[in-house]
Amino acid sequence: MPFTNSVLITGGTTGLGFQAALVIARQHPEYHVVIASRTDKDSAAKTINDTLKENNVTFLPLDLASVANVRSFVQKWETEKFPPIIALLLNAGLQFPKELRKTGDSVESTFAINHVGHALLFHLLFTNLATGARIVVTSSGTHDPAQKTGLPDAKYTTAEELAHPTPESAKTSGRQRYATSKLVNILWTYALNRRLEKLPDMGLTVNAFDPGLMPGTGLAREYSPVLRAAWIHVLPRILPVMRLLASSNIHSPKESGKYLARLAIGDDVKGISGVYYEGHKQIKSSTESYDEAKQEELWEWTVKNVAASKEELHTFDIGK
C-alpha cells in the first residue's frame, strides 16, 4: 500500500524525537515517517520498524549546521517524490556550554542549529506541505525567566547579533545562548502563525512545544564527562524525586514523546495554532516572546539570510 502522507521529524533518531516517531508510526502505518539527524548510529529507523513489524520509518541524514546540507536534504526529498508532509516537527536542538562555536557558514552554532537550519528547511519544504499540515517547533521552558529553570535568562537583542556575535556578546555563556535560542523558536513560531492566518485555504497550523527537562537525552552531549554521565545514567533514575524537589515539568523522553506526537496527529488539537504547550497543557509563554517587533525583526532577518536569490526572497516571505 502506498503511503498517503509524510511526517518529518528532525532529531528523530534519539530521545524525544525517537519516541514521537514511534508513536506516530504505530498509530499511522499509512504515513511515511522520516527521521532526520546527522547520523543514525543506533539504527533508530530499523528499531521502530522491527518493533512495529512495519516498514514505514526511514532515516535521512541531515546536518542543520550546514546550509548546503539542508539544501541537499530537500533536493533528495523532492527527487524521491515523498508524499505531502502532514506533520513537520522541527525538534532537533543542541547546547554548547563552553566556548563560542561557529558553523562552517560562520554562524554561531546554537542559533544556527536551533533556528536557522530549521527555518531554511521549513521554507524549502513549504510547497511540499499537505493541506492541513501541522508544524511543531520544539522550544523549552528555559526561554522564560519567570520559570526559574536554573539557566541564565534568555537575552534577545537582534538576530544579526545572535548569528554573528560582537566581541562583547561573544562572551555570553553557552547556556544563555541556548535559552535565547529557545526564545527565538517561539518568536519565530508566532511570526509564522500570523502569516499562515493569511493563507486560510491551506489550513496550516504552527505551535511551540516545551517537552520539559528530560534527563537521558542527547542534549548534554557537549557537557563534561562527569556531568554527561550524571545526565545519562543517574538523573533518569530519580525522576520522581526531581519532580518533587524541583519541578513537575520533568519527564522521560517517552512521556514527552507522546505529548509531541499528540500535537502532530492528535484529533483534540486539530486546528489550534499560534500557541505554546508545556507538555499536554496550553500555557502562556514568556512576556518577551509576545513582542511583535522582535518577532518581525527575527522573521525579516531570517528570510533575508536564508534566501539564496531574489526569487527565494520573494517566495520565502509567505503571507504577503
Side-chain angles (χ1 to χ4, degrees):
M1 181 181 70
F3 297 125
T4 59
N5 288 106
S6 297
V7 174
L8 173 57
I9 307 173
T10 68
T13 57
T14 62
L16 173 67
F18 173 86
Q19 295 296 336
L22 179 61
V23 172
I24 295 168
R26 175 182 285 121
Q27 293 188 20
H28 287 280
E30 78 280 14
Y31 286 176
H32 185 198
V33 180
V34 179
I35 54 177
S37 200
R38 288 180 297 176
T39 62
D40 187 20
K41 57 185 176 63
D42 295 323
S43 302
K46 183 179 185 303
T47 298
I48 296 175
N49 287 331
D50 290 348
T51 299
L52 302 179
K53 296 179 171 55
E54 297 283 354
N55 195 34
N56 62 328
V57 180
T58 300
F59 166 73
L60 285 182
L62 171 65
D63 183 1
L64 290 163
S66 167
V67 167
N69 188 269
V70 173
R71 289 184 176 275
S72 65
F73 175 91
V74 174
Q75 287 176 353
K76 181 173 179 58
W77 184 281
E78 295 181 337
T79 299
E80 296 290 338
K81 300 186 185 304
F82 292 148
I85 299 169
I86 196 65
L88 175 60
L89 307 188
L90 304 177
N91 166 72
L94 277 179
Q95 183 178 157
F96 301 96
K98 298 178 183 178
E99 69 280 353
L100 177 78
R101 289 197 189 182
K102 292 187 177 181
T103 67
D105 300 312
S106 297
V107 176
E108 191 279 317
S109 292
T110 314
F111 184 69
I113 294 168
N114 295 1
H115 170 64
V116 177
H118 275 136
L120 176 60
L121 182 67
F122 164 80
H123 286 297
L124 293 174
L125 287 174
F126 184 73
T127 57
N128 293 275
L129 296 176
T131 300
R134 304 183 195 183
I135 302 120
V136 185
V137 183
T138 298
S139 181
S140 168
T142 60
H143 87 281
D144 187 355
Q147 291 203 24
K148 302 186 185 305
T149 61
L151 261 65
D153 291 350
K155 183 180 179 182
Y156 187 93
T157 50
T158 66
E160 174 61 24
E161 186 167 3
L162 293 177
H164 305 110
T166 64
E168 184 60 32
S169 63
K171 301 174 185 176
T172 298
S173 74
R175 296 168 74 240
Q176 186 174 53
R177 291 189 189 285
Y178 177 77
T180 301
S181 76
K182 297 291 100 179
L183 171 60
V184 165
N185 291 152
I186 303 174
L187 292 169
W188 186 79
T189 295
Y190 293 160
L192 173 58
N193 179 65
R194 274 198 301 280
R195 286 156 174 83
L196 296 183
E197 288 176 340
K198 297 177 183 178
L199 305 170
D201 292 345
M202 297 188 69
L204 303 178
T205 62
V206 61
N207 294 298
F209 170 67
D210 168 26
L213 184 68
M214 295 178 297
T217 64
L219 184 64
R221 65 172 65 100
E222 298 293 334
Y223 278 37
S224 69
V226 172
L227 290 177
R228 190 164 62 247
W231 177 261
I232 295 173
H233 301 295
V234 179
L235 297 184
R237 300 181 181 182
I238 58 170
L239 291 186
V241 176
M242 293 176 66
R243 291 190 188 112
L244 182 64
L245 297 178
S247 168
S248 61
N249 192 27
I250 299 175
H251 307 286
S252 69
K254 184 175 181 179
E255 291 169 334
S256 292
K258 290 180 180 179
Y259 298 145
L260 178 56
R262 171 192 174 226
L263 294 182
I265 61 173
D267 289 337
D268 63 321
V269 293
K270 183 178 181 180
I272 296 174
S273 189
V275 299
Y276 175 71
Y277 285 87
E278 179 185 87
H280 68 282
K281 301 178 297 182
Q282 186 182 134
I283 68 169
K284 289 287 187 181
S285 52
S286 71
T287 299
E288 187 177 11
S289 69
Y290 294 103
D291 187 328
E292 289 195 14
K294 291 181 178 179
Q295 294 167 14
E296 291 302 304
E297 187 273 336
L298 172 67
W299 179 270
E300 291 171 9
W301 182 95
T302 302
V303 168
K304 179 180 177 181
N305 283 273
V306 300
S309 65
K310 289 184 178 180
E311 181 181 0
E312 282 192 350
L313 190 62
H314 175 72
T315 57
F316 286 5
D317 204 3
I318 61 175
K320 273 197 170 182

